[in-house]
Each structure stands twice: as structure tokens, then as C-alpha cells.
Amino acid sequence: VAEEDAEGGAMEELEELDQGMEGEERASTTALTALTSRGIAATDIKKLQEAGFHSVEGVSFATKRQILAVKGISEAKAEKIIAEAAKLVHMGFVSAAEYHIQRQDQLQLTTGAEELDKLLGGGIETGSITELFGEFRTGKTQLCHTLCVTCQLPTASGGAEGKAMYIDTEGTFRPERLVSIAERFQLDPQATLDNVAYARAHNSDHQLQLLSMAAALMADSRYALLVVDSATANYRTDYCGRGELAARQQHLGKFLRCLQRIADEFGVAVVITNQVVAQVDGGAMFAVDPKKPIGGNIIAHASQTRLYLRKGRGENRICKIYDSPSLPEAEASFAIAAEGIRDCED
């Protein structure tokens, strides 16, 4: 009962954050209540919402087994729900020309540095997962803080006119950084803070649970960015040794799949940070840079764009396109300043 009360209180706090942006648009998804006009009982819709489904798209993207796992949903009900949801959400083929037009409508979030935006083809892409990895003090968290502000900018200024969500696993989120960055972009600092939903993830299970709460918020309001800083820190401590490696990778894979579902369902930019580990095998002596991102192939395949950050001179940092389906391998420099990420002065 205490756990239910705590969870209910957390949900109430997050709902209050929903009221921060004046005149905002709703998320561009189909409300789950649209299924009531197609013969789905209101009680069944409530059960789906309690299980973490908040839009027709979310139901369409789920497997039959996931729908059956909802308490009180029989196989017959599950089949009807899936069938009716499929009538509202297009799940078939489209021509490459149509998809090309859809891609052109996707927004990109400015990083605050022109050279870095140019490297990324305009900025951080919405509707996909971007991974930032590198050792400490390379600017991963600072870039995440800057994006929390720039995503609120008008689309003409490189923003998406939406709120930001920040899941912190390392205790490095600092709202005062958002204030100084907001002042740089001539945004109201208080309104900027009101439009950022923050949660501290204390373990890998809690980290996964927070995604259900995130989906509930996104179904009711317009969000443009979801940050997880870092996605892998809790897994390094919750799972130890080779004996738990399979369980760790399976749980991490589930977490990343939920992130991708949120990106697909709500069209937000998902930005995750990742830690690195030094290679100590025989091949490390021949490597130019012996550091590699942790998480293995699971996280490598889940991220659409992987950016490798490393230190430069002074406050300058270097970003390299490590992997991308559309961007060539290249590098760009940026600097960390009091007002966030900016171009290098020299």
C-alpha cells in the first residue's frame, strides 16, 4: 500500500509539470479513448492505461503477448483491441517517396554550436535515439542540459516548441545550468525550468518504470526531448561479473526497446549518454584510442546515431560521428561555456 501511495504521489507531481507551457499543443498521437467508438469497453481502456499504454499507436506497436499480460484482458479481447487499433494506425508499406516526405517533416534540435549542428546535418534528430559516449569531462551532460533548453525554442530557431524530460542516474542534473543557458537564448528562466520534467533513477528496474510514467506525460502534453544520463550507469552496478552478463544485456535491451517505442510513438528526440571502458586485451596496444563504449552490441544496434566525444585543448571538445545511417564519418569541435554548448572561439 505504501508503494502504491508513493507511486500515486509521484504521478501527481509529474501531472503538475504538465501545466507549465501556455497554449501548448497536444502530442501528435491518437488518444486511447478513440477505441471506445470501435466497441472497446471503457473498463478495458482503463486497464490498458494502468498497464502503461496511453495511445492507439502504443497498442499497435505492442505484441499480442504484451497485451495479454495486462490484467483482465482475455485472448478474445486482445485480438479485438489489436484489430481495431490497426484500423486507426497505418502499419503497412509506403513508397520511399512518401517516407522521404515524412522524413523532411522531422525536426532537428540545435546543439547551440553551429559547427556541431553542421556535422549532424542540422542538429539532434527527433524520432530516433542518439547516443553520446566518452570519458568524464567530455561534455555529455553539458550537451544534454543545452538540449533541454533548445528544444523549447521556436522551430525557426532550431527548436521544437516542446518540453523536455530528464532521467538522471548519476546525480549530475543541475537546474541552475538551465537558467544560464535559458538567458543566453532569451527565454524566461522560470518557464524554462517549468517545462523540464526531472526524475532520479536509483536502479535499473526503477529506470525502466520511469519510462511508463514518461509515456503517460507525453500522451497528455507536447514533449520534444527525452534524456537518459546515463543509460548504462545503473547496469554496471546492479549486475556484476560474467555470470549476470546475459541478464544485464536482456534487461538493457528491453529498456532500449522501450526508448525506441517512445521515440516512434511520440516523435521525441531520445538522447542517451554512455560510459566507456578501457580495452585491456592484446588488441589495445595497437589501437589509436583504447576506449570503447560499454553495453556491447545491444546498445550499438539500438542507437541510430552514435557520437564519440573526447577532450580537446582547454574547454574545447571534439565530437566524432562514430556510427550513423545517413551521416559520413567526420569530426567537429565545440566548447563548453557558462551559457552551455557553443562554438570554439579559436
Side-chain angles (χ1 to χ4, degrees), residues 18 65 137 141 152 154 169 173 190 255 284 300 312 319 326 332 335:
D18 241 3
R65 186 172 66 175
R137 287 192 68 245
T141 297
Q152 301 180 38
T169 67
F173 178 76
Q190 188 57 50
F255 175 75
C319 175
S326 58

Side-chain angles (χ1 to χ4, degrees), residues 73-122:
I73 300 295
S74 64
E75 187 163 356
K77 284 183 179 180
E79 289 176 354
K80 185 176 181 182
I81 289 169
I82 292 169
E84 294 304 324
K87 294 175 184 176
L88 296 173
V89 180
H90 181 73
M91 299 281 284
F93 286 96
V94 295
S95 69
E98 289 178 83
Y99 187 56
H100 182 54
I101 293 171
Q102 292 174 21
R103 291 269 308 158
Q104 289 176 330
D105 290 337
Q106 282 187 315
L107 298 174
Q108 290 178 308
L109 309 178
T110 178
T111 61
E114 286 185 18
E115 285 300 312
L116 190 51
D117 286 345
K118 196 181 298 181
L119 175 75
L120 299 173

Side-chain angles (χ1 to χ4, degrees), residues 315-326:
E315 293 302 314
N316 292 352
R317 303 292 184 267
I318 301 166
C319 175
K320 178 182 179 181
I321 303 287
Y322 192 80
D323 181 37
S324 170
S326 58

Side-chain angles (χ1 to χ4, degrees), residues 143-155:
L143 180 52
C144 290
H145 278 68
T146 303
L147 288 169
C148 282
V149 176
T150 61
C151 75
Q152 301 180 38
L153 292 170
T155 53

